[in-house]
């Protein structure tokens, strides 16, 4: 029913978690990002930003529907199935706030931290310290939110939790710690124990970039510019 374009990273895990929680049938298309699969014309037709994840939904009337960007995909699938969404207009407002917080704050800051911690040339102390501070500021935002509730939106586990989990899941490899964030740590543990989440995290686990591709060894992956898109398909 769904073609899922994926690589085993926190952004890929977000949609994999939802697909597994929903139990929807899907076919995974592993993107070899270090080799430039994301710039192939057939993928750019699905994801104009040349980023995964992306999906193509064949269970629709008429032509298949493509969706790119993790937040948009998760909202699309949750609304399509009517699951993992809160009820009521105010709850919907809160859902959108926390989805936008993740894609506009937590995710980008964590991604930059990951770059300076794991892939940038040595000696980038300013970049690492800046994004570690931003990453931990977002942990504090989440800690405050969870002070009086089990889940981001209250009593129910929703796509707001799923989308925020992956970058918290890898706090230690990012050079951070959850010791000062006990509510976040407990929230992380409970999500990690869910069988659907475990299946998603394990999806193509053996193909993770564990340091073999860095900014110094792979300019295609880490030093992209307009030329990569302007020349795609030419």
């Amino acid at each position: 029913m769904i073609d899922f374009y994926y690589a085993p990273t926190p952004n890929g895990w977000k949609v994999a978690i939802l697909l597994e929680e929903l139990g929807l049938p899907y076919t995974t298309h592993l993107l070899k990002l270090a080799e430039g699969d994301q710039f192939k014309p057939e993928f750019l037709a699905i994801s104009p930003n040349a980023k995964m994840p992306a999906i193509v939904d064949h269970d629709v009337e008429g032509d298949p529907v493509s969706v790119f960007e993790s937040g948009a995909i998760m909202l699309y699938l949750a609304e399509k199935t009517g699951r993992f969404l809160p009820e009521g207009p105010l709850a919907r407002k809160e859902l959108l706030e926390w989805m936008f917080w993740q894609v506009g704050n937590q995710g980008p800051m964590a991604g930059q931290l990951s770059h300076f911690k794991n892939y940038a040339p040595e000696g980038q102390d300013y970049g690492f310290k800046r994004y570690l501070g931003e990453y931990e500021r977002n942990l504090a935002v989440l800690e405050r939110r969870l002070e009086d509730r089990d889940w981001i939106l209250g009593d129910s586990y929703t796509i707001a939790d799923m989308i925020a989990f992956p970058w918290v899941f890898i706090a230690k490899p990012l050079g951070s710690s959850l010791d000062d964030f006990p509510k976040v740590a407990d929230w992380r543990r409970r999500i990690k124990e869910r069988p659907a989440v475990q299946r998603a995290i394990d999806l193509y686990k053996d193909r993770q970039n564990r340091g073999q591709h860095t900014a110094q060894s792979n300019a295609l992956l880490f030093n992209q510019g307009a030329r990569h898109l302007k020349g795609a398909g030419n």
Side-chain angles (χ1 to χ4, degrees):
M1 182 173 73
I2 291 174
D3 287 319
F4 177 34
Y5 295 85
Y6 166 84
T9 74
N11 285 333
W13 294 339
K14 297 173 187 177
V15 173
I17 288 170
L18 179 56
L19 286 169
E20 288 292 339
E21 292 281 13
L22 290 171
L24 294 175
Y26 65 92
T27 299
T28 305
H29 301 269
L30 179 67
L31 292 177
K32 297 183 282 294
L33 303 178
E35 299 176 20
D37 282 358
Q38 66 272 36
F39 298 114
K40 292 181 177 179
E42 57 268 31
F43 182 67
L44 287 174
I46 298 166
S47 179
N49 196 33
K51 301 286 185 181
M52 67 85 214
I55 66 167
V56 176
D57 183 5
H58 297 271
D59 183 29
V60 295
E61 293 184 9
D63 294 334
V65 172
S66 63
V67 191
F68 74 104
E69 294 296 323
S70 59
I73 297 167
M74 296 180 78
L75 284 167
Y76 172 84
L77 291 174
E79 290 175 345
K80 177 185 176 77
T81 59
R83 297 180 61 194
F84 299 112
L85 292 169
E87 296 182 0
L90 287 179
R92 166 75 175 188
K93 184 271 300 183
E94 287 195 337
L95 171 69
L96 292 176
E97 288 174 335
W98 287 98
M99 295 290 285
F100 276 82
W101 166 78
Q102 198 289 317
V103 299
N105 287 274
Q106 186 220 30
M109 296 303 103
Q112 294 299 326
L113 175 59
S114 178
H115 177 80
F116 284 103
K117 169 65 177 174
N118 299 307
Y119 308 112
E122 293 183 4
Q124 304 286 330
D125 292 343
Y126 173 79
F128 172 71
K129 290 178 181 178
R130 168 174 167 71
Y131 290 109
L132 178 63
E134 284 295 311
Y135 177 76
E136 293 183 343
R137 186 189 69 79
N138 278 284
L139 287 177
V141 170
L142 188 54
E143 180 76 9
R144 286 168 55 85
R145 179 65 178 178
L146 294 170
E147 282 180 356
D148 59 352
R149 65 195 74 213
D150 289 334
W151 307 104
I152 289 177
L153 297 185
D155 296 331
S156 300
Y157 172 66
T158 69
I159 57 172
D161 301 288
M162 297 179 208
I163 200 170
F165 167 78
W167 285 112
V168 177
F169 176 64
I170 62 167
K172 186 175 180 180
L174 293 179
S176 187
S177 168
L178 299 183
D179 290 348
D180 292 333
F181 308 100
K183 296 290 186 180
V184 173
D186 180 63
W187 170 87
R188 175 192 182 277
R189 176 190 56 78
R190 287 183 284 113
I191 297 177
K192 180 184 175 184
E193 290 174 351
R194 297 178 68 90
V197 174
Q198 293 172 12
R199 291 193 298 272
I201 296 298
D202 285 341
L203 185 61
Y204 282 104
K205 186 175 182 178
D206 62 329
R207 302 298 294 272
Q208 292 177 9
N209 180 12
R210 300 184 183 276
Q212 65 267 42
H213 300 290
T214 68
Q216 293 172 297
S217 67
N218 193 314
L220 178 65
L221 187 58
F222 292 106
N223 293 287
Q224 295 178 18
R227 68 189 186 280
H228 292 90
L229 284 172
K230 292 176 72 174
N234 294 339

